[in-house]
Amino acid sequence: MIYRRSIGSHSFVFRSLGDLLAKASPPRSGDRLAGVAAESAEEMVAARMALADVPLQQFLLEAVVPYEDDEVTRLIIDTHDVAAFAAVSSLTVGAFRDWLLSDAATPAALQKLVQGLMPEMVAAVSKLMRNQDLILVARKCEVVTRFRNTIGLRGHMSVRLQPNHPFDDAKGITASILDGLLLGAGDACIGINPASDDPAVIGDLLRLLDSIIERLQIPTQSCVLTHVTTTLDLMAKGLPVDLVFQSIAGTEAANRSFGVDLSILKEAHQAALSLRRGTVGSNVMYFETGQGSALSANAHHGIDQQTLEARAYAVARAFDPLLVNSVVGFIGPEYLYDGKEIIRAGLEDHFCGKLLGLPLGVDVCYTNHAEADQDDMDNLLTLLAAAGVSFIMGVPGADDVMLNYQSTSFHDALYVREVFGLKRAPEFDDWMQRVGLAGEEGRLNGNETRLPEFASKLVRGMLPA
């Protein structure tokens, strides 16, 4: 379908719904690289005005990636809940924005709507919103998941303890875990990005994490972020797998570039469920995404990167994940050029994920060749905390020495928890109080009596000989 909008004497033509979505996107380097971005601010405004008038029903009629060519599109359309959609089916994109910002869009109403929303609808409405709108609506969405603890409760924010090491050294990894636990991190999970893809190394890391969690009786879950097929093989061999990880994207071709498809993800999901390792729930998947992944694989079908990011959330939603993490600035300035673009993308991702019913966390991060710095990350971290982000990363010193990028530290998590009064997962908080790491109000005990005892116990019991 052709879309048109005039501004003064200038008429703009958008050749398809996908083209309209791309031209309506806030400026970002990835869309410019792909040649899909608006050529001027005037064209972007015209696209947004035209997009505001598009009925939400149109997204059911016009797929941005053809149904016959893409299994993600088929997933989106075939699982669309018409009954859930009925509450907003008469609205345009602009009217949907007004409804989301109104008092009628209560947390309960948003929860009922989840399965009726297509990711393209959610991406579209995000393009009409200011940053404060993205924060306000996302804050109304409560998405709760469980494995060995409960993540996503209102007034809580969890932290993935990320103890990466450039050589997968057990002593270095354990030291980082100790550092994180002493500072209250690790309730989202303790998750290692391995430097090696050797299954023997991955197996050793799984055993290390399982040993630490078991010996210290920590109510949390572990994850080694290796390829899903490696994890499948290790589960079959009896290795202690809590969460199955995989990077995913918003098109079939992009997922194929990661070496996965929906059938492999389904197989892994069922295998992890069969282990029954969760104690308070059975959300067993951990997915990571990022704007620009489809473009980097030349699998974007001429669609803007933010719309494709939202489509990745449809893939995640099909498998009831415990955690979904937008690694927002990790791909680099070719896709998100500077701090302003990273901040906007992080808020968009969080908004879209939460509206689609996902436990969205954000790796507030950037690469060292981007036009961004830690002040930009402080700004995004603070905005996401205000928006009710489910979890963030905890990296020693905010500097990942294996992946070579800048993220958020254990102390950054303490900052936002203090400013916003946010708590850890309740089971994890109870454990911290039992072992003397925190007082009754959840505040860290600092160097009080039981802290040295706990640290000494961890060092003695966990470090290899």
Side-chain angles (χ1 to χ4, degrees), residues 340-360:
K340 183 179 178 67
E341 292 188 6
I342 293 170
I343 288 169
R344 174 69 190 191
L347 294 177
E348 288 171 347
D349 294 351
H350 181 251
F351 164 88
C352 290
K354 284 292 183 64
L355 207 54
L356 291 167
L358 290 178
L360 221 292

Side-chain angles (χ1 to χ4, degrees), residues 174-228:
T174 304
S176 293
I177 294 174
L178 169 62
D179 187 19
L181 291 174
L182 295 180
L183 292 169
D187 52 337
C189 73
I190 303 175
I192 301 171
N193 297 87
S196 170
D197 58 3
D198 183 341
V201 174
I202 307 302
D204 288 342
L205 295 176
L206 286 167
R207 294 186 190 95
L208 173 67
L209 293 181
D210 185 63
S211 172
I212 292 174
I213 290 172
E214 178 66 25
R215 292 191 198 182
L216 295 173
Q217 299 183 312
I218 310 171
T220 193
Q221 37 283 327
S222 67
C223 185
V224 178
L225 283 69
T226 189
H227 194 269
V228 63

Side-chain angles (χ1 to χ4, degrees), residues 97-239:
R97 172 189 178 274
D98 294 341
W99 182 84
L100 287 170
L101 293 169
S102 75
D103 291 339
T106 63
L110 292 172
Q111 179 60 41
K112 291 179 182 178
L113 191 60
V114 163
Q115 297 300 326
L117 293 177
M118 296 169 61
E120 293 88 348
M121 298 174 186
V122 173
V125 76
S126 75
K127 297 175 192 298
L128 305 184
M129 290 183 153
R130 293 169 57 186
N131 287 0
Q132 65 175 254
D133 300 335
L134 298 173
I135 293 167
L136 178 62
V137 175
R139 188 173 181 82
K140 294 196 261 187
C141 301
E142 184 176 5
V143 182
V144 179
T145 56
R146 296 176 174 88
F147 187 77
R148 290 201 188 99
N149 59 29
T150 305
I151 295 169
L153 293 170
R154 193 168 299 280
H156 293 68
M157 186 197 73
S158 296
V159 178
R160 172 189 155 193
L161 202 172
Q162 185 170 304
N164 297 343
H165 191 280
F167 308 113
D168 293 326
D169 178 72
K171 290 184 179 181
I173 288 169
T174 304
S176 293
I177 294 174
L178 169 62
D179 187 19
L181 291 174
L182 295 180
L183 292 169
D187 52 337
C189 73
I190 303 175
I192 301 171
N193 297 87
S196 170
D197 58 3
D198 183 341
V201 174
I202 307 302
D204 288 342
L205 295 176
L206 286 167
R207 294 186 190 95
L208 173 67
L209 293 181
D210 185 63
S211 172
I212 292 174
I213 290 172
E214 178 66 25
R215 292 191 198 182
L216 295 173
Q217 299 183 312
I218 310 171
T220 193
Q221 37 283 327
S222 67
C223 185
V224 178
L225 283 69
T226 189
H227 194 269
V228 63
T229 54
T230 301
T231 305
L232 266 169
D233 290 342
L234 292 173
M235 282 192 285
K237 294 176 181 177
L239 272 294

Side-chain angles (χ1 to χ4, degrees), residues 70-76 248 252 255 260-268 314-316 318-319:
D70 189 88
E71 68 173 358
V72 176
T73 299
R74 295 193 288 274
L75 171 70
I76 291 166
I248 56 173
E252 178 181 348
N255 283 323
V260 298
D261 57 23
L262 296 180
S263 64
I264 291 174
L265 296 177
K266 182 178 180 180
E267 180 184 355
V315 176
F319 300 101

